[in-house]
Amino acid sequence: MATSRRELNKAATRQGITDAALTLLRSKGPGNFTVEDIADTAGISRRTFFNYFSSTDAALASVTHGFLDNAIQQFKLRPANEPILQSAQEALMALADPMTVAPLAELFTLTQQSTLMSHSELEAWDHCREQITAVARGRAAAGPGAVDELYLRALAGSVISCGKAAMEVWFTRRGADLSPASLAELRQLLIDAMALLGSGFTAGSTPAPSPSASRSS
Amino acid sequence: MATSRRELNKAATRQGITDAALTLLRSKGPGNFTVEDIADTAGISRRTFFNYFSSTDAALASVTHGFLDNAIQQFKLRPANEPILQSAQEALMALADPMTVAPLAELFTLTQQSTLMSHSELEAWDHCREQITAVARGRAAAGPGAVDELYLRALAGSVISCGKAAMEVWFTRRGADLSPASLAELRQLLIDAMALLGSGFTAGSTPAPSPSASRSS
DNA sequence: GTGCAAAGTTGCACGTAGTGTAAATGCGTG
DNA sequence: CACGCATTTACACTACGTGCAACTTTGCAC
């Protein structure tokens, strides 16, 4: 296993860097601190920072990356005969607990003012999309006939988009509220989003696919 | 109006910059040239470049931006009672001609080796997504009941994802081939992608693309 | 423990990105 | 022509990201 001194030190340094980056994000706001600030706060040299991350964004995006890696792990555990949409839903359900969601929620609220996600964060989501594509390809290959690339890519992309949409709506509505009621709403939003996708968005302007859907504005 | 000497000069300079950027992209490959190179090629100063674009990526992404602006324009012309998915499909159909697609296809093939899209390019797609969301919101508001934010965001995001997926598959299959047969395949891919989305990806591993999936105009 | 090799850290130098500022140049109008 | 305004340009400055060559720490054999 990875319990040598070297591994531990590296992990600690890595964690120290993201902690420092988050601290500075909290105190100074996005874009108002430099790599040197992070390095100083973490007690390392500027050069060492770049040995771990390629940018400030990358350091912060490790939060998102961790969450999505977790999600992919859950996703891969789902039975191969389960529909992709349901696998995605179940994987996300497993992560809708306070401890897992908290870092992501804080990162989101702190970076809300900057319109678009950072490059590194988008990279993390895209990596997740590729993983989903790979799993879907594997499941399709097990069945009959040839694998349809369009189907795989469109499906994986849409799943990611809907997952993002659900989280965005939740963050927008609830901010960093991690109460049981709020998390229940997140779960419902994720379920609704996958249901919308599974039903082809057939509902009109007032869909409410699951009766107990959303709403609490 | 926009025909003063100043306006013309500005437009010419802007075009000159993107042309220079594309020339260098062709000759040196992505990432192997600097802002100064572009400025020199375009015959302007480095500082002037930054008066027009915030980065090399942004200069190149103006190609994508132009295409998507065009798409949005078509999209907004669709009747308000038409389903969003069909509006999207029709808008894209209108752009599947050689002259419009060529620049995008070349940009794509030239930047294919770098895995993820540039930040500016993603920004362009995201801007398009927001426009779709806005149109969908407008249409939903015209109907009965309250507007469901989740529905809007999930739908717009999925439409973009499926459009991207169709184009990626086409680019991957046909490279920069702009023959009528190739463009017909692009149209079919776009139709199929929207059909997949509209049917909730219910098809199994072999959705059998060709004739059955199409239906439009 | 001692010695050694591999892994990790650090300082330094270099080229590039992006921005503020003020001077210079070009354009439109009286 | 001369004036007001928009645009371009040179210059300076901060910050990013990387290659490189010490230097320090860790793991391991003896």
Side-chain angles (χ1 to χ4, degrees):
Chain A
M1 285 294 291
T3 11
S4 82
R5 192 54 163 272
R6 277 196 176 131
E7 304 290 336
L8 290 177
N9 282 348
K10 272 190 80 113
T13 302
R14 195 180 186 82
Q15 190 59 48
I17 291 173
T18 69
D19 287 350
L22 274 173
T23 301
L24 287 166
L25 182 64
R26 276 188 278 263
S27 60
K28 304 201 168 187
N32 297 121
F33 56 96
T34 70
V35 169
E36 196 158 13
D37 293 335
I38 299 176
D40 289 349
T41 305
I44 56 166
S45 75
R46 197 178 81 96
R47 192 62 185 80
T48 298
F49 172 92
F50 284 112
N51 287 343
Y52 285 86
F53 298 103
S54 59
S55 64
T56 46
D57 282 346
L60 291 171
S62 71
V63 172
T64 306
H65 213 94
F67 177 86
L68 292 178
D69 267 2
N70 215 331
I72 285 294
Q73 214 172 320
Q74 296 293 325
F75 184 70
K76 285 183 175 163
L77 292 176
R78 304 303 308 174
N81 60 341
E82 187 179 53
I84 296 286
L85 289 184
Q86 194 178 340
S87 295
Q89 185 183 302
E90 300 286 351
L92 289 166
M93 288 303 100
L95 301 180
D97 66 283
M99 214 184 59
T100 309
V101 171
L104 203 59
E106 187 185 13
L107 184 67
F108 186 88
T109 55
L110 285 171
T111 56
Q112 183 65 324
Q113 47 252 55
S114 37
T115 316
L116 191 58
M117 275 181 178
S118 77
H119 186 81
S120 303
E121 202 151 4
L122 288 166
E123 235 170 35
W125 283 98
D126 201 64
H127 175 252
C128 186
R129 185 184 59 74
E130 278 167 15
Q131 298 288 312
I132 294 178
T133 311
V135 170
R137 181 178 287 118
R139 291 189 187 178
V147 179
D148 182 352
E149 273 300 314
L150 178 65
Y151 180 82
L152 294 178
R153 292 184 190 235
L155 174 58
S158 298
V159 166
I160 291 289
S161 288
C162 289
K164 271 190 193 172
M167 291 192 181
E168 279 170 14
V169 170
W170 181 68
F171 288 137
T172 305
R173 282 203 201 139
R174 305 290 216 149
D177 177 5
L178 300 174
S179 66
S182 177
L183 286 168
E185 187 174 347
L186 171 59
R187 281 192 213 94
Q188 191 58 54
L189 281 167
L190 289 165
I191 292 171
D192 289 348
M194 294 303 149
L196 281 170
L197 189 51
S199 70
F201 296 92
T202 45
S205 51
T206 54
S210 305
S212 61
S214 29
R215 194 57 22 76
S216 73
S217 13
Chain B
M1 295 304 252
T3 11
S4 80
R5 195 53 165 272
R6 282 204 172 119
E7 303 290 335
L8 289 177
N9 282 347
K10 271 188 79 112
T13 303
R14 195 180 185 82
Q15 191 58 49
I17 292 173
T18 68
D19 287 349
L22 274 172
T23 301
L24 287 165
L25 182 64
R26 276 188 278 262
S27 61
K28 304 201 169 187
N32 295 120
F33 56 97
T34 71
V35 169
E36 196 158 14
D37 294 334
I38 300 176
D40 288 350
T41 305
I44 55 166
S45 76
R46 199 178 81 95
R47 192 62 183 80
T48 298
F49 172 90
F50 285 112
N51 286 344
Y52 285 85
F53 298 103
S54 59
S55 64
T56 48
D57 283 346
L60 291 171
S62 70
V63 172
T64 306
H65 214 93
F67 178 85
L68 292 177
D69 268 2
N70 214 332
I72 286 294
Q73 214 172 319
Q74 295 293 326
F75 185 69
K76 285 183 175 164
L77 292 177
R78 304 303 308 171
N81 60 341
E82 187 179 53
I84 296 287
L85 288 184
Q86 194 178 340
S87 296
Q89 186 183 299
E90 300 287 351
L92 288 166
M93 284 307 99
L95 301 179
D97 67 282
M99 215 183 59
T100 310
V101 173
L104 203 59
E106 186 184 13
L107 184 67
F108 186 89
T109 56
L110 286 171
T111 56
Q112 183 66 323
Q113 48 252 55
S114 38
T115 316
L116 190 56
M117 275 181 178
S118 78
H119 187 80
S120 303
E121 202 151 5
L122 288 165
E123 234 171 34
W125 284 97
D126 201 63
H127 175 252
C128 185
R129 186 185 58 76
E130 278 166 15
Q131 299 287 314
I132 294 178
T133 312
V135 171
R137 182 178 286 117
R139 292 190 187 178
V147 179
D148 183 350
E149 273 300 315
L150 178 65
Y151 180 81
L152 294 178
R153 293 183 188 237
L155 174 59
S158 298
V159 167
I160 291 290
S161 289
C162 289
K164 272 190 193 170
M167 292 193 181
E168 280 170 13
V169 170
W170 181 66
F171 288 136
T172 304
R173 287 223 271 255
R174 312 290 292 222
D177 177 5
L178 299 174
S179 67
S182 178
L183 285 168
E185 186 172 349
L186 170 59
R187 283 192 210 94
Q188 191 57 53
L189 282 166
L190 289 166
I191 291 172
D192 288 348
M194 293 302 150
L196 281 170
L197 189 51
S199 70
F201 295 92
T202 44
S205 50
T206 55
S210 301
S212 55
S214 76
R215 176 68 203 97
S216 75
S217 43

